[in-house]
Amino acid sequence: KKNISVAIDGPSAAGKSTIAKMVAKKENFIYIDTGAMYRCVAYYCLTQKIDLNDEKAVEQAIEHIQIRLTPDNKVYLNDEDVSNQIRQDQVSLGASCVSKYQAVRSFLVDEQRKMAKAGNVILDGRDIGTVVLPNANLKIYQIASVETRAKRRYLENLERGLDADLETIKKEIEERDYQDTHREISPLKKAEDAIELDTSSLTLEEVVEQVLTLIQKAK
Ligand code: C5P
């Protein structure tokens, strides 16, 4: 039986990872959070006091970075569980900064392709349908209004016990949207064969239902 791969791309805080996790659980797919990997690179540099704007220094740092995603969705950086630390605002913006660099992207895209060979997989990110898995069986481009995304992230941060200020979060999301769509290498864009899903006025369950239906069709 052939392996199924599902790609979910879209702007920051559009609910991609929440949906991907729920779908993965229902379908027993492996979930690969590619954003967490860019976050690990940024987090490593921040803790090692490496200037994120220094492309060469970040490139060298990659050699010291090992990332592991576990089936229970924990993120390990060099054998340390950094699942919570990488969710800080500073790391989000840092990830968006280091994701501009070719060396970072090549390193992580390679890892992601290897991980995607493990079986039925669902990956979320910015370039899954366009670059990482151009032959994915199903491509979804998940969007939502900035207001919706900021509000969702605000509630999520409160729940995680992280700093939460709605205006700051909205600015951070807008800044990442701009950076991610305007970078030179693998900018965020909808793959030609991706199905656009606007989740602004949908519940989580409704989005999951739609994705599950699309997966059945793609099988
Ligand atoms: O998805 P998440 O918000 O965790 O991603 C953090 C940052 O990593 C994004 O803003 C983006 O700059 C970068 N990223 C990327 N390509 C991916 C996943 C994330 O460039 N496939």
Side-chain angles (χ1 to χ4, degrees), residues 34-42 95 98-99 104-105 108-109 112 127:
T34 68
M37 300 169 79
Y38 289 89
R39 287 169 182 272
C40 279
V41 174
V98 299
S99 73
V104 173
R105 301 209 69 85
L108 294 180
V109 168
Q112 290 155 14
D127 62 340

Side-chain angles (χ1 to χ4, degrees), residues 87 89 152-164 169:
R87 299 297 155 192
D89 280 349
R152 286 180 188 160
R153 182 53 53 90
Y154 171 76
L155 294 173
E156 195 182 296
N157 281 8
L158 280 186
E159 215 164 274
R160 286 179 193 265
L162 294 172
D163 284 349
I169 291 172

Side-chain angles (χ1 to χ4, degrees), residues 176-192:
R176 281 208 287 152
D177 279 356
Y178 185 86
Q179 280 186 181
D180 292 348
T181 49
H182 287 80
R183 70 179 174 226
E184 235 164 276
I185 313 165
S186 311
L188 167 67
K189 67 162 189 264
K190 180 180 166 294
E192 269 178 34

Side-chain angles (χ1 to χ4, degrees), residues 4-214:
I4 303 282
S5 55
V6 179
I8 305 189
D9 290 301
S12 302
K16 301 183 297 294
S17 68
T18 307
I19 296 304
K21 272 185 220 161
M22 291 170 76
V23 170
K25 204 167 172 194
K26 287 224 168 180
E27 291 279 299
N28 203 16
F29 277 26
I30 298 165
Y31 166 55
I32 302 170
D33 178 356
T34 68
M37 300 169 79
Y38 289 89
R39 287 169 182 272
C40 279
V41 174
Y43 181 71
Y44 179 86
C45 293
L46 289 168
T47 55
Q48 300 293 316
K49 309 257 183 290
I50 293 165
D51 180 2
L52 298 182
N53 293 305
D54 184 344
E55 181 169 359
K56 271 274 157 293
V58 175
E59 191 173 332
Q60 279 164 6
I62 293 170
E63 290 170 35
H64 307 284
I65 294 179
Q66 238 187 12
I67 300 165
R68 197 159 46 87
L69 307 179
T70 68
D72 59 341
N73 296 323
K74 294 249 179 302
V75 182
Y76 284 84
L77 167 62
N78 297 333
D79 291 322
E80 185 198 345
D81 181 352
V82 295
S83 312
N84 281 323
Q85 290 91 313
I86 60 167
R87 299 297 155 192
Q88 303 165 52
D89 280 349
Q90 197 194 13
V91 183
S92 307
L93 285 172
S96 183
C97 177
V98 299
S99 73
K100 298 191 298 261
Y101 305 142
Q102 179 67 69
V104 173
R105 301 209 69 85
S106 308
F107 167 60
L108 294 180
V109 168
D110 272 359
E111 296 279 309
Q112 290 155 14
R113 287 184 180 146
K114 274 185 230 154
M115 293 162 78
K117 287 191 178 139
N120 291 333
V121 288
I122 181 163
L123 286 77
D124 79 332
R126 305 293 185 289
D127 62 340
I128 310 304
T130 52
V131 176
V132 181
L133 302 176
N135 297 317
N137 301 87
L138 172 63
K139 299 181 186 179
I140 290 167
Y141 195 73
Q142 190 172 327
I143 59 168
S145 68
V146 171
E147 282 69 28
T148 307
R149 291 187 280 142
K151 211 181 284 161
R152 286 180 188 160
R153 182 53 53 90
Y154 171 76
L155 294 173
E156 195 182 296
N157 281 8
L158 280 186
E159 215 164 274
R160 286 179 193 265
L162 294 172
D163 284 349
D165 173 70
L166 191 57
E167 269 317 298
T168 312
I169 291 172
K170 196 171 154 204
K171 279 207 194 84
E172 184 251 313
I173 287 175
E174 282 170 336
E175 191 174 338
R176 281 208 287 152
D177 279 356
Y178 185 86
Q179 280 186 181
D180 292 348
T181 49
H182 287 80
R183 70 179 174 226
E184 235 164 276
I185 313 165
S186 311
L188 167 67
K189 67 162 189 264
K190 180 180 166 294
E192 269 178 34
D193 50 350
I195 296 163
E196 187 168 295
L197 209 58
D198 187 338
T199 69
S200 304
S201 56
L202 297 176
T203 65
L204 285 179
E205 288 72 25
E206 287 169 332
V207 181
V208 169
E209 211 41 60
Q210 290 201 22
V211 175
L212 291 175
T213 306
L214 291 168

